[in-house]
């Protein structure tokens, strides 16, 4: 393999096997932050089960807070679950650097989704998508406010 653009822990695994980092993607982003995972539901499910979505978001916010307050326990717990599910845990030489490069946040970093989309269009990986309405952060912001945390932005990608 001459090169790979991969998420963690695959990147750290390649490095532990003798590979080199040519470019750390975080260097391309303001504040070194970009979205890789979002919690999503269909609009139909959101409309019919807003209470369930809100409960999941409350659990996610609490879990993220615990992970950030207890990084060593969270890392050990994640590795134990990986072993339980797959029969194999990650070696510390892979897990430790991978864990250090992951940011667990309640903020979907919506503006970075738009940038990622623009880059994918430029690279001809997809046609220009209509991202208008892709985010409805009203329940997340309700949960964050109740937890005494700042609200997050949809970067203009909310339904009009």
């Amino acid at each position: 393999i001459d090169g790979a653009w991969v998420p963690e822990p695959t990147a750290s695994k390649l490095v532990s096997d003798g590979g080199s980092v040519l470019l750390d993607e975080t260097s391309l982003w303001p504040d070194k932050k970009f979205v890789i995972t979002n919690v999503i539901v269909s609009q139909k499910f959101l409309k019919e089960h807003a209470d369930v979505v809100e409960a999941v978001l409350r659990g996610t916010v609490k879990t993220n807070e615990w992970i950030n307050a207890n990084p060593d326990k969270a890392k050990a717990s994640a590795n134990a679950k990986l072993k339980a599910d797959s029969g194999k845990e990650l070696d510390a030489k892979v897990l430790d650097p991978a864990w250090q490069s992951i940011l667990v946040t309640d903020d979907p970093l919506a503006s970075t989704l738009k940038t990622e989309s623009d880059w994918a269009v430029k690279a001809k990986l997809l046609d220009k998508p209509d991202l208008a309405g892709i985010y409805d952060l009203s329940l997340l912001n309700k949960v964050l406010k109740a937890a005494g945390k700042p609200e997050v932005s949809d970067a203009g990608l909310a339904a009009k």
Side-chain angles (χ1 to χ4, degrees):
I1 298 175
D2 292 329
W5 181 15
V6 294
E8 292 296 359
T10 305
S12 292
K13 173 72 171 128
L14 292 172
V15 170
S16 76
D17 289 344
S20 300
V21 175
L22 301 175
L23 173 70
D24 181 345
E25 184 177 3
T26 59
S27 68
L28 302 175
W29 293 96
D31 300 322
K32 299 185 176 200
K33 298 176 185 176
F34 58 100
V35 64
I36 60 167
T37 306
N38 275 304
V39 175
I40 61 169
V41 298
S42 70
Q43 291 179 357
K44 181 178 188 256
F45 189 88
L46 178 60
K47 184 178 179 181
E48 294 174 1
H49 305 285
D51 58 330
V52 173
V53 174
E54 184 176 341
V56 168
L57 291 171
R58 264 195 317 275
T60 300
V61 167
K62 286 180 182 179
T63 300
N64 290 348
E65 184 175 20
W66 182 85
I67 290 169
N68 286 316
N70 303 280
D72 291 334
K73 287 181 183 178
K75 179 173 60 171
S77 178
N79 209 21
K81 181 64 173 159
L82 182 62
K83 184 176 182 179
D85 288 350
S86 71
K88 187 175 180 186
E89 63 185 4
L90 292 174
D91 187 278
K93 69 182 180 182
V94 173
L95 181 59
D96 291 345
W99 198 264
Q100 289 176 356
S101 71
I102 296 169
L103 170 68
V104 176
T105 179
D106 300 316
D107 189 342
L109 304 168
S111 65
T112 68
L113 180 68
K114 173 75 170 92
T115 301
E116 289 171 347
S117 171
D118 291 345
W119 288 349
V121 169
K122 186 175 181 179
K124 299 183 178 168
L125 296 172
L126 57 92
D127 294 331
K128 185 168 178 64
D130 179 4
L131 297 177
I134 198 163
Y135 286 110
D136 179 348
L137 302 179
S138 56
L139 289 179
L140 175 58
N141 280 325
K142 178 182 176 184
V143 167
L144 291 171
K145 185 176 181 180
K149 297 176 183 263
E151 293 185 354
V152 293
S153 170
D154 61 30
L157 298 177
K160 304 288 187 241

